[in-house]
Amino acid sequence: MDIEEVKERAGPREFSPKDDLPEEYRKAATRMLQFHANSEIMGAYLERPFIRKAPSLERKMAFSAKVQDEIGHGQLLYRAAESLGVKTREEMLDELAEGKGKFLNCFHYPMESWVETPMIAFFVDGAAMRRQATLKRSSWEPYAHAMDKICFEEGFHVKHGESILAELMSGSRKEQRLTQAAFEEWWPRILQFFGPTDDKSTHHDFAAEVGLKTMTNDELRQAFLNSYMPKAEKYGLEIPDEPRIREEDGRYVVVDDDLDWDEFFQIAKNEYEPGRGQINERAAAREAVAWVRDVLDSQEQAAGGQAPAAAD
Ligand SMILES: [Fe+2]
Ligand SMILES: [Fe+2]
C-alpha cells in the first residue's frame, strides 16, 4: 500500500498487522504509541511513592491499583507499538531508561506532596481521558483496541482523583490553601498537556491525514476546559489569573504567550533539569531488575526458545 492509498482508506480501526503499510505510516504510529506508552510508565513512577505516603488504607489500596493499571497500560501500548514492526518493546524500554524516549510534559515535574496528587489523578488523567477517548477511533487497530481497556480503567482513575480533591477541598483551611497552591503550580502545566496550539504543532497534519489522530490539540484542550474549569470551581478551586483564559463566543481561549513554551520544548527534548531525576530513577529501576531479564532469557534458551510463562 502506498501513502496515498493509506490516506484514502484511513478510518477508525482500518489498519492492522496484516496490512502492508508504508514505512512513513508505521514510523508515525510508532512515535505516537511509544510516546503514549512511555508516558504511562513515567506517570506510574511519579505516583508510586504515594502508595506509601497515602493517608489511609483505602487510599493506599487505590493508589496501588492505579499504579499497576498505569504500568499495564504502558505494556499494552508497547505491544501495540511493537506490532508495527519498527521497534521492539525492549528497545523502547531501553530508550526510555537512556533518556531518549519522550513522554508527557506533566510527568517531568517532581511531585512531592499529597495535595499534589489530584493534579495528576484528576486533572491530568481527565485530560488524558479526553485524548484517549478519541483514540478509540485511531486507524491503527491495535492502538484503538488497547484504548477500550485503558479508557475503562482511566474512568476509575479520574473518579479516584476527584474523590481526593473533594476530600482535600472540604478539609481544614490549611488543606484547602495548600491544595489551591498546588493547583496554581500545576495549572499551566495541565494547560500545556495538549501541546502547542495547532499552528505550532509539527506532527498533527500527517497523523490526522492517515487517521492516527482524530482531533487537534486545540479541540481537545477546548473540550477539556469546558468540562474541567467548572469542575475545579465546583470544588472551590480558584482558576489563577495567569495564564489568561478568555471566553470568546462560548469558547475558552488560552492566551498562549502566558505559557512558558521554552520550558515546554526543553522538556520535549528531555533537557529540563528537574525532570532528569525522573528519567534517572527509571534507569535505576530498569537496571535493578536486569538480573530478572537475564534469568528469564537463560531459561528461554534452555527451553529451546520457548518463552517462560512469566516473561512479560
Ligand atoms: Fe493510564
Ligand atoms: Fe490513569
Side-chain angles (χ1 to χ4, degrees), residues 40 69-70 73 125 132 150 154 157:
E40 298 280 356
D69 281 354
E70 305 294 15
H73 297 172
D125 274 43
Q132 293 179 154
I150 291 175
E154 288 301 339
H157 297 175

Side-chain angles (χ1 to χ4, degrees), residues 87-245:
K87 288 180 190 174
T88 64
R89 170 178 160 279
E90 282 298 308
E91 282 169 330
M92 290 183 272
L93 282 165
D94 281 341
E95 284 181 13
L96 184 60
E98 287 160 11
K100 292 185 204 147
K102 306 293 167 57
F103 56 97
L104 265 177
N105 70 316
C106 289
F107 302 147
H108 285 255
Y109 296 97
M111 182 167 74
E112 265 131 31
S113 149
W114 178 250
V115 295
E116 291 178 278
T117 58
M119 306 309 144
I120 295 279
F122 183 52
F123 291 105
V124 176
D125 274 43
M129 265 297 269
R130 286 277 147 199
R131 176 185 275 156
Q132 293 179 154
T134 69
L135 294 172
K136 286 184 180 184
R137 286 178 284 123
S138 177
S139 60
W140 182 241
E141 198 276 337
Y143 196 4
H145 191 78
M147 280 305 129
D148 290 338
K149 176 178 161 63
I150 291 175
C151 286
F152 179 73
E153 292 177 351
E154 288 301 339
F156 286 107
H157 297 175
V158 175
K159 287 284 165 209
H160 156 248
E162 188 169 13
S163 158
I164 300 172
L165 180 64
E167 187 176 74
L168 287 168
M169 292 306 286
S170 57
S172 67
R173 299 275 288 251
K174 188 180 172 197
E175 277 174 321
Q176 292 178 25
R177 190 169 39 79
L178 291 174
T179 308
Q180 174 67 30
F183 180 64
E184 286 172 21
E185 191 177 13
W186 280 85
W187 183 237
R189 305 165 184 175
I190 294 163
L191 292 177
Q192 287 180 309
F193 173 95
F194 295 104
T197 47
D198 293 340
D199 53 350
K200 292 199 195 91
S201 172
T202 42
H203 297 310
H204 176 74
D205 289 350
F206 180 76
E209 277 166 12
V210 297
L212 285 166
K213 267 186 177 183
T214 57
M215 273 172 88
T216 68
N217 293 345
D218 284 346
E219 287 166 341
L220 289 167
R221 190 181 353 255
Q222 190 61 44
F224 170 74
L225 289 173
N226 282 341
S227 153
Y228 279 78
M229 296 236 309
K231 285 184 190 181
E233 285 169 338
K234 175 180 138 190
Y235 290 110
L237 288 170
E238 263 175 58
I239 310 287
D241 291 339
E242 282 221 2
R244 286 166 291 168
I245 300 175

Side-chain angles (χ1 to χ4, degrees), residues 266-284:
Q266 209 185 351
I267 281 176
K269 288 187 262 170
N270 287 352
E271 284 170 4
Y272 176 70
E273 204 39 55
R276 295 295 310 176
Q278 249 80 282
I279 298 169
N280 294 342
E281 252 182 61
R282 175 62 207 147

